[in-house]
């Protein structure tokens, strides 16, 4: 099988690494890839926003299977065009990808299917949104309706902060993504990420994870695309996973099929586990980043078998096998992220550390001759396995400390909730 992975981030490096281990894969391409994927696949300099260029590459290179990694190509309908060309593709249709492409759409599905979620209002102009804020007060959550690279969400603890977030959206801070705004009730509980493969009818639950969205230690500062994660999330007990499937995943898949937009691909449910059970914060229609990195470290089943069964509608009876070990990843980001990120700084010590229990996945990296350089906000994902969260964390930070990159930074407390549980 000749496989093309679409994307250039840490998620795509992790997916490509897992795919490259499959004995079924004879050739692997990543478009456009990054400084790390080049070591395990052939990077393809394709503009993935141009679907005609992707299809031309697929035809010229006799690609058998396309795997869509990021959100933007999925929401733009790349999967539809690949399938229309007669090529097997892992990723949702454009219509089904609205579950991530529009937070308002997801709220509508929740209303129709009775899925537990935060109370909300959706607004297309500034003044009604501000009036809603003043009525409900803070804390409250303001979200740009469309894709905003993980940065369009403000958890506002004060009313002025919430008002500023609304004004930012309508003033164009997130482009078209902020032309509509969803304002949500502030939920109290513990966040978790749950993943499920769906083939339109059948559902295969994958492992859980817990992401760390805030930029600084102690969950302070602005939201990011994710500063680290670990899997499994202790808050997602077997009982809580069963409730999430029955109360959230199954009704969503059923409703999407009923409305003529069946969901195929991976459904990523961002949850708040409250005193009354799981509530849906949002859906993503791709593997999380950095959650994918910890999932791929723990997955023992051939990922190609899982992705292909999803794409072919043959998930019935599939049971993935997972390592009992914990996986934890620490994101190394460029100083200034998530507001800004200068490119071009040299990174030393990130390569040559990989072992059976440690992988450094590249996110925003590039090659400048023989040098590895930063090429984005989130740059490296230092990912380790351990018998406990504390052991995995210790291995990950030991590897972080071997990386020489003065222009970078990371959180030093990834996994803190789980470690506190282990010590209790």
């Amino acid at each position: 099988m000749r496989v093309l992975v679409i994307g250039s981030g840490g998620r795509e490096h992790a997916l490509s690494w897992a795919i490259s281990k499959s004995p079924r894969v004879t050739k692997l391409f990543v478009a456009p890839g990054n400084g790390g994927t080049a070591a395990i696949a052939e990077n393809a300099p394709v503009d993935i926003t141009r679907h005609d260029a992707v299809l031309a590459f697929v035809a010229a290179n006799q690609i058998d299977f396309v795997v869509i990694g990021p959100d933007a190509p999925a929401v733009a309908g790349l999967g539809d065009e690949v399938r229309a060309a007669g090529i097997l593709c892992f990723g949702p249709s454009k219509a089904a990808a609205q579950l991530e492409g529009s937070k308002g759409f997801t709220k509508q599905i929740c209303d129709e299917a009775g899925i537990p979620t935060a109370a909300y209002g959706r607004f297309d102009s500034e003044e009604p949104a501000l009036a809603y804020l003043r009525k409900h007060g803070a804390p409250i959550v303001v979200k740009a309706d469309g894709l905003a690279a993980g940065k369009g969400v403000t958890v506002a603890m004060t009313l002025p902060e919430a008002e500023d977030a609304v004004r930012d959206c309508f003033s164009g801070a997130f482009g078209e993504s902020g032309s509509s705004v969803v304002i949500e009730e502030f939920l109290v509980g513990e966040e978790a990420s749950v993943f499920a493969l769906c083939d339109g009818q059948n559902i295969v639950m994958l492992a859980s994870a817990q992401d760390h969205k805030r930029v600084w230690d102690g969950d302070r500062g602005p939201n990011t695309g994710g500063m680290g994660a670990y899997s499994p999330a202790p808050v997602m007990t077997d009982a809580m996973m069963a409730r999430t499937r029955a109360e959230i995943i199954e009704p969503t898949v059923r409703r999407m099929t009923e409305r003529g937009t069946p969901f195929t691909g991976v459904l990523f449910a961002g949850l708040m586990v409250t005193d009354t059970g799981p509530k849906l914060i949002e859906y993503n229609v791709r593997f999380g980043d950095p959650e994918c990195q910890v999932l791929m470290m723990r997955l023992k089943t051939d990922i190609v078998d899982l992705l292909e069964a999803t794409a072919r509608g043959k998930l019935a009876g599939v049971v993935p096998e997972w390592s009992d070990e914990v996986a934890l990843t620490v994101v190394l980001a460029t100083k200034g992220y998530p507001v800004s990120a200068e490119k071009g700084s040299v990174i030393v010590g990130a390569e040559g550390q990989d072992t059976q229990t440690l992988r450094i996945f590249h996110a925003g990296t590039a090659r400048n001759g023989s040098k590895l350089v930063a090429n984005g906000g989130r740059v490296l994902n230092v990912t380790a396995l351990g018998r406990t969260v504390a052991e995995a964390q210790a291995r990950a930070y030991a590897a972080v400390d071997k990386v020489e990159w003065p222009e970078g930074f990371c959180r030093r407390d990834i996994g803190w909730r789980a470690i506190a549980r282990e010590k209790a």
Side-chain angles (χ1 to χ4, degrees):
M1 183 178 280
R2 293 169 68 84
V3 179
L4 170 64
V5 174
I6 301 292
S8 62
R11 165 185 46 235
E12 287 75 40
H13 189 185
L15 271 176
S16 300
W17 170 72
I19 290 168
S20 72
K21 295 191 297 179
S22 173
R24 301 180 57 204
V25 176
T26 55
K27 181 67 177 179
L28 177 61
F29 297 92
V30 188
N34 61 37
T37 56
I40 55 169
E42 183 176 328
N43 283 352
V46 178
D47 180 357
I48 61 175
T49 65
R50 286 188 52 215
H51 295 181
D52 59 337
V54 174
L55 294 174
F57 181 88
V58 166
N61 291 275
Q62 300 175 300
I63 301 299
D64 301 301
F65 190 22
V66 175
V67 177
I68 299 175
D71 46 14
V75 171
L78 178 59
D80 294 324
E81 296 188 42
V82 171
R83 283 183 283 267
I87 305 298
L88 190 66
C89 182
F90 177 85
S93 67
K94 182 176 183 177
Q98 288 181 89
L99 284 170
E100 179 164 5
S102 169
K103 294 175 178 65
F105 175 83
T106 294
K107 287 295 192 180
Q108 180 184 334
I109 294 294
C110 288
D111 289 344
E112 294 170 357
I115 295 164
T117 188
Y120 74 101
R122 185 184 185 186
F123 305 93
D124 295 322
S125 59
E126 186 175 304
E127 284 309 315
L130 292 174
Y132 185 90
L133 286 179
R134 289 159 189 157
K135 177 182 177 183
H136 291 273
I140 201 163
V141 182
V142 178
K143 297 180 176 181
D145 183 70
L147 300 180
K151 305 183 192 80
V153 177
T154 300
V155 181
M157 303 311 291
T158 66
L159 188 58
E161 186 183 3
E163 291 173 337
D164 286 346
V166 164
R167 292 188 183 102
D168 282 347
C169 286
F170 287 115
S171 68
F174 305 106
E176 281 298 307
S177 295
S179 61
S180 183
V181 169
V182 172
I183 301 175
E184 289 184 349
E185 164 195 14
F186 175 80
L187 294 175
V188 177
E190 186 169 341
E191 288 191 52
S193 304
V194 171
F195 299 84
L197 294 175
C198 312
D199 65 7
Q201 286 197 310
N202 301 293
I203 296 168
V204 172
M205 298 296 285
L206 300 179
S208 65
Q210 189 168 82
D211 190 8
H212 297 61
K213 284 290 186 192
R214 299 297 189 108
V215 71
W216 302 118
D217 286 15
D219 290 331
R220 295 177 298 108
N223 270 351
T224 70
M227 294 301 295
Y230 63 96
S231 173
V235 71
M236 294 308 300
T237 60
D238 289 347
M240 198 61 70
M241 287 290 282
R243 284 192 63 179
T244 298
R245 175 175 180 139
E247 298 172 24
I248 295 175
I249 304 294
E250 287 178 354
T252 301
V253 172
R254 188 163 53 245
R255 181 63 193 131
M256 291 296 284
T257 299
E258 288 169 353
R259 67 188 303 279
T261 54
F263 185 87
T264 64
V266 61
L267 197 54
F268 163 10
L271 306 176
M272 184 69 78
V273 181
T274 71
D275 289 343
T276 59
K279 290 191 175 186
L280 181 70
I281 299 173
E282 64 183 14
Y283 271 132
N284 296 315
V285 298
R286 35 74 185 183
F287 286 101
D289 189 349
E291 292 99 334
C292 183
Q293 290 82 315
V294 291
L295 294 186
M296 293 305 106
M297 285 289 279
R298 293 187 59 226
L299 181 65
K300 296 174 76 173
T301 302
D302 188 325
I303 186 69
V304 175
D305 291 345
L306 294 178
L307 301 179
E308 184 187 21
T310 304
R312 293 194 186 277
K314 296 182 177 180
L315 276 176
V318 171
V319 181
E321 186 180 358
W322 300 91
S323 166
D324 291 332
E325 289 192 293
V326 173
L328 182 144
T329 190
V330 178
V331 171
L332 285 171
T334 306
K335 287 178 180 176
Y337 176 80
V339 177
S340 63
E342 286 194 19
K343 298 180 179 181
S345 54
V346 176
I347 303 164
V348 176
E351 298 174 287
Q353 291 203 52
D354 290 350
T355 66
Q356 287 290 100
T357 58
L358 181 83
R359 286 271 152 192
I360 298 184
F361 295 114
H362 293 224
T365 68
R367 299 283 175 185
N368 183 358
S370 62
K371 295 177 180 177
L372 183 71
V373 299
N375 194 43
R378 293 183 298 166
V379 175
L380 295 170
N381 311 135
V382 181
T383 313
L385 289 169
R387 290 165 298 176
T388 63
V389 181
E391 184 174 89
Q393 186 199 58
R395 283 179 178 157
Y397 281 114
V400 166
D401 291 339
K402 293 176 183 176
V403 177
E404 298 175 30
W405 183 35
E407 294 83 3
F409 78 100
C410 68
R411 280 183 58 162
R412 303 295 306 196
D413 64 345
I414 303 301
W416 66 270
R417 284 189 181 89
I419 290 172
R421 282 190 173 95
E422 288 175 352
K423 290 178 179 177

